[in-house]
PDB file of all heavy atoms in Angstrom:
ATOM      1  N   ALA A 773     -11.055  87.838  56.385  1.00 97.00           N
ATOM      2  CA  ALA A 773     -12.299  88.174  57.095  1.00 97.00           C
ATOM      3  C   ALA A 773     -12.567  87.173  58.201  1.00 97.00           C
ATOM      4  O   ALA A 773     -12.028  86.062  58.219  1.00 97.00           O
ATOM      5  CB  ALA A 773     -13.471  88.201  56.116  1.00 97.00           C
ATOM      6  N   GLN A 774     -13.413  87.599  59.139  1.00 97.00           N
ATOM      7  CA  GLN A 774     -13.925  86.732  60.196  1.00 97.00           C
ATOM      8  C   GLN A 774     -15.454  86.749  60.115  1.00 97.00           C
ATOM      9  O   GLN A 774     -16.047  87.759  59.731  1.00 97.00           O
ATOM     10  CB  GLN A 774     -13.479  87.218  61.574  1.00 97.00           C
ATOM     11  CG  GLN A 774     -11.983  87.164  61.796  1.00 97.00           C
ATOM     12  CD  GLN A 774     -11.619  87.501  63.233  1.00 97.00           C
ATOM     13  OE1 GLN A 774     -11.810  86.700  64.135  1.00 97.00           O
ATOM     14  NE2 GLN A 774     -11.099  88.707  63.447  1.00 97.00           N
ATOM     15  N   VAL A 775     -16.053  85.628  60.506  1.00 97.00           N
ATOM     16  CA  VAL A 775     -17.511  85.541  60.441  1.00 97.00           C
ATOM     17  C   VAL A 775     -18.038  84.946  61.744  1.00 97.00           C
ATOM     18  O   VAL A 775     -17.419  84.060  62.347  1.00 97.00           O
ATOM     19  CB  VAL A 775     -17.962  84.680  59.238  1.00 97.00           C
ATOM     20  CG1 VAL A 775     -17.392  83.269  59.310  1.00 97.00           C
ATOM     21  CG2 VAL A 775     -19.483  84.635  59.136  1.00 97.00           C
ATOM     22  N   ALA A 776     -19.175  85.466  62.178  1.00 97.00           N
ATOM     23  CA  ALA A 776     -19.857  84.935  63.363  1.00 97.00           C
ATOM     24  C   ALA A 776     -21.193  84.355  62.913  1.00 97.00           C
ATOM     25  O   ALA A 776     -22.046  85.091  62.400  1.00 97.00           O
ATOM     26  CB  ALA A 776     -20.074  86.041  64.388  1.00 97.00           C
ATOM     27  N   PHE A 777     -21.352  83.051  63.077  1.00 97.00           N
ATOM     28  CA  PHE A 777     -22.604  82.376  62.717  1.00 97.00           C
ATOM     29  C   PHE A 777     -23.447  82.167  63.971  1.00 97.00           C
ATOM     30  O   PHE A 777     -22.978  81.564  64.949  1.00 97.00           O
ATOM     31  CB  PHE A 777     -22.328  81.027  62.061  1.00 97.00           C
ATOM     32  CG  PHE A 777     -21.822  81.131  60.649  1.00 97.00           C
ATOM     33  CD1 PHE A 777     -20.519  80.770  60.337  1.00 97.00           C
ATOM     34  CD2 PHE A 777     -22.639  81.597  59.630  1.00 97.00           C
ATOM     35  CE1 PHE A 777     -20.046  80.861  59.041  1.00 97.00           C
ATOM     36  CE2 PHE A 777     -22.179  81.699  58.327  1.00 97.00           C
ATOM     37  CZ  PHE A 777     -20.879  81.332  58.035  1.00 97.00           C
ATOM     38  N   PHE A 778     -24.662  82.661  63.932  1.00 97.00           N
ATOM     39  CA  PHE A 778     -25.640  82.396  64.991  1.00 97.00           C
ATOM     40  C   PHE A 778     -26.514  81.261  64.464  1.00 97.00           C
ATOM     41  O   PHE A 778     -27.440  81.470  63.683  1.00 97.00           O
ATOM     42  CB  PHE A 778     -26.447  83.659  65.296  1.00 97.00           C
ATOM     43  CG  PHE A 778     -25.615  84.767  65.892  1.00 97.00           C
ATOM     44  CD1 PHE A 778     -24.878  85.609  65.071  1.00 97.00           C
ATOM     45  CD2 PHE A 778     -25.551  84.940  67.266  1.00 97.00           C
ATOM     46  CE1 PHE A 778     -24.096  86.624  65.609  1.00 97.00           C
ATOM     47  CE2 PHE A 778     -24.768  85.957  67.818  1.00 97.00           C
ATOM     48  CZ  PHE A 778     -24.038  86.795  66.980  1.00 97.00           C
ATOM     49  N   SER A 779     -26.172  80.049  64.884  1.00 97.00           N
ATOM     50  CA  SER A 779     -26.742  78.849  64.273  1.00 97.00           C
ATOM     51  C   SER A 779     -27.768  78.177  65.180  1.00 97.00           C
ATOM     52  O   SER A 779     -27.616  78.133  66.410  1.00 97.00           O
ATOM     53  CB  SER A 779     -25.616  77.859  63.959  1.00 97.00           C
ATOM     54  OG  SER A 779     -26.127  76.673  63.420  1.00 97.00           O
ATOM     55  N   ALA A 780     -28.797  77.618  64.554  1.00 96.00           N
ATOM     56  CA  ALA A 780     -29.861  76.938  65.293  1.00 96.00           C
ATOM     57  C   ALA A 780     -29.322  75.780  66.124  1.00 96.00           C
ATOM     58  O   ALA A 780     -29.867  75.476  67.200  1.00 96.00           O
ATOM     59  CB  ALA A 780     -30.923  76.433  64.318  1.00 96.00           C
ATOM     60  N   SER A 781     -28.261  75.142  65.631  1.00 95.00           N
ATOM     61  CA  SER A 781     -27.740  73.976  66.351  1.00 95.00           C
ATOM     62  C   SER A 781     -27.292  74.319  67.767  1.00 95.00           C
ATOM     63  O   SER A 781     -27.280  73.450  68.655  1.00 95.00           O
ATOM     64  CB  SER A 781     -26.568  73.369  65.572  1.00 95.00           C
ATOM     65  OG  SER A 781     -25.528  74.319  65.413  1.00 95.00           O
ATOM     66  N   ASN A 782     -26.943  75.578  67.995  1.00 95.00           N
ATOM     67  CA  ASN A 782     -26.510  75.994  69.336  1.00 95.00           C
ATOM     68  C   ASN A 782     -27.670  76.164  70.310  1.00 95.00           C
ATOM     69  O   ASN A 782     -27.443  76.366  71.509  1.00 95.00           O
ATOM     70  CB  ASN A 782     -25.733  77.315  69.242  1.00 95.00           C
ATOM     71  CG  ASN A 782     -24.431  77.157  68.479  1.00 95.00           C
ATOM     72  OD1 ASN A 782     -23.833  76.085  68.467  1.00 95.00           O
ATOM     73  ND2 ASN A 782     -23.998  78.225  67.807  1.00 95.00           N
ATOM     74  N   TYR A 783     -28.874  76.121  69.798  1.00 96.00           N
ATOM     75  CA  TYR A 783     -30.038  76.398  70.650  1.00 96.00           C
ATOM     76  C   TYR A 783     -31.036  75.234  70.706  1.00 96.00           C
ATOM     77  O   TYR A 783     -32.017  75.311  71.437  1.00 96.00           O
ATOM     78  CB  TYR A 783     -30.758  77.660  70.134  1.00 96.00           C
ATOM     79  CG  TYR A 783     -29.878  78.891  70.153  1.00 96.00           C
ATOM     80  CD1 TYR A 783     -29.122  79.225  69.032  1.00 96.00           C
ATOM     81  CD2 TYR A 783     -29.774  79.692  71.280  1.00 96.00           C
ATOM     82  CE1 TYR A 783     -28.287  80.331  69.040  1.00 96.00           C
ATOM     83  CE2 TYR A 783     -28.939  80.808  71.296  1.00 96.00           C
ATOM     84  CZ  TYR A 783     -28.199  81.123  70.177  1.00 96.00           C
ATOM     85  OH  TYR A 783     -27.370  82.218  70.192  1.00 96.00           O
ATOM     86  N   LEU A 784     -30.782  74.187  69.945  1.00 96.00           N
ATOM     87  CA  LEU A 784     -31.735  73.074  69.902  1.00 96.00           C
ATOM     88  C   LEU A 784     -31.970  72.458  71.279  1.00 96.00           C
ATOM     89  O   LEU A 784     -33.112  72.102  71.634  1.00 96.00           O
ATOM     90  CB  LEU A 784     -31.235  71.995  68.929  1.00 96.00           C
ATOM     91  CG  LEU A 784     -31.523  72.217  67.444  1.00 96.00           C
ATOM     92  CD1 LEU A 784     -30.814  71.160  66.605  1.00 96.00           C
ATOM     93  CD2 LEU A 784     -33.019  72.178  67.171  1.00 96.00           C
ATOM     94  N   ASP A 785     -30.906  72.303  72.061  1.00 95.00           N
ATOM     95  CA  ASP A 785     -31.058  71.674  73.375  1.00 95.00           C
ATOM     96  C   ASP A 785     -31.941  72.498  74.307  1.00 95.00           C
ATOM     97  O   ASP A 785     -32.483  71.959  75.291  1.00 95.00           O
ATOM     98  CB  ASP A 785     -29.685  71.465  74.021  1.00 95.00           C
ATOM     99  CG  ASP A 785     -28.880  70.385  73.315  1.00 95.00           C
ATOM    100  OD1 ASP A 785     -29.493  69.589  72.567  1.00 95.00           O
ATOM    101  OD2 ASP A 785     -27.642  70.351  73.478  1.00 95.00           O
ATOM    102  N   SER A 786     -32.080  73.783  74.007  1.00 95.00           N
ATOM    103  CA  SER A 786     -32.901  74.651  74.860  1.00 95.00           C
ATOM    104  C   SER A 786     -34.389  74.563  74.523  1.00 95.00           C
ATOM    105  O   SER A 786     -35.223  75.085  75.262  1.00 95.00           O
ATOM    106  CB  SER A 786     -32.446  76.108  74.710  1.00 95.00           C
ATOM    107  OG  SER A 786     -31.082  76.234  75.051  1.00 95.00           O
ATOM    108  N   VAL A 787     -34.710  73.926  73.411  1.00 96.00           N
ATOM    109  CA  VAL A 787     -36.106  73.847  72.972  1.00 96.00           C
ATOM    110  C   VAL A 787     -36.708  72.543  73.479  1.00 96.00           C
ATOM    111  O   VAL A 787     -36.346  71.455  73.015  1.00 96.00           O
ATOM    112  CB  VAL A 787     -36.212  73.916  71.436  1.00 96.00           C
ATOM    113  CG1 VAL A 787     -37.682  73.892  71.009  1.00 96.00           C
ATOM    114  CG2 VAL A 787     -35.518  75.159  70.897  1.00 96.00           C
TER     115      VAL A 787
END
Side-chain angles (χ1 to χ4, degrees):
Q774 296 187 75
V775 59
F777 286 112
F778 294 83
S779 178
S781 60
N782 295 331
Y783 300 91
L784 278 173
D785 290 342
S786 302
V787 182

